[in-house]
Amino acid sequence: MLYAFRQRPEAGTSGYIEGTDRSQVTLFPARLEDWIDEDNPVRVIDLYVDEIALGEIGFLRTAPAQTGRPGYHPSVLLKLFIYGYLNRVPSSRALEREAGRNVEVMWLTGRLVPDHKTIAGFRREFEGSGIDPGDQFP
């Protein structure tokens, strides 16, 4: 993070820490990969979910529908759900907010931001599948 030190007469000799200008063109690196450390827990969630054969363990809609608006892949929603479970983000609305502002969740979902109704619908489907993430993530 960049800080600018500026002397102000009322501050004496110490000055204040000034933030960067909000109109600055580049505040973040161009790649989300640069913000996520190699030992970040979201990498474990990503690898774990990618290794699961979701269709074989009871998740519906693992194959896209031929008609209508395309939906989110269940793995994206499962990653978001597990992230919320591990980080105590219980509600669908809070998960929607996290997907839009949290860099870890942006990396995990590929910058997708499902709405709270989609997340809640997946949660209902997930609960009906008989799979409990608490069994696998103490």
Side-chain angles (χ1 to χ4, degrees):
M1 182 166 273
L2 300 174
Y3 295 104
F5 292 96
R6 188 173 4 160
Q7 291 289 88
R8 294 189 180 176
E10 67 274 8
T13 58
S14 64
Y16 292 105
I17 297 175
E18 299 282 335
T20 58
D21 184 14
R22 289 187 179 119
S23 63
Q24 182 177 337
V25 177
T26 57
L27 292 176
F28 294 107
R31 298 175 347 130
L32 284 174
E33 188 70 28
D34 296 337
W35 283 88
I36 305 301
D37 293 334
E38 291 297 319
D39 60 345
N40 193 306
V42 296
R43 291 188 184 273
V44 175
I45 296 169
D46 186 55
L47 289 172
Y48 175 75
V49 173
D50 287 346
E51 293 297 319
I52 297 173
L54 296 175
E56 293 177 12
I57 61 172
F59 280 93
L60 304 175
R61 298 187 194 108
T62 55
Q66 298 298 321
T67 60
R69 181 177 183 266
Y72 294 98
H73 193 278
S75 67
V76 171
L77 296 170
L78 181 58
K79 290 174 187 181
L80 184 60
F81 183 70
I82 292 173
Y83 178 87
Y85 184 84
L86 292 176
N87 291 285
R88 293 182 170 88
V89 182
S91 77
S92 301
R93 291 179 190 268
L95 283 172
E96 178 184 9
R97 280 192 304 273
E98 289 296 307
R101 68 179 178 192
N102 186 323
V103 177
E104 289 179 340
V105 180
M106 288 180 192
W107 181 88
L108 191 60
T109 63
R111 290 191 176 176
L112 294 174
V113 183
D115 65 8
H116 64 277
K117 287 185 177 184
T118 302
I119 297 167
F122 177 77
R123 178 174 281 146
R124 278 191 301 276
E125 180 181 315
F126 185 73
E127 289 172 348
S129 70
I131 300 166
D132 182 11
D135 292 342
Q136 299 163 15
F137 293 102

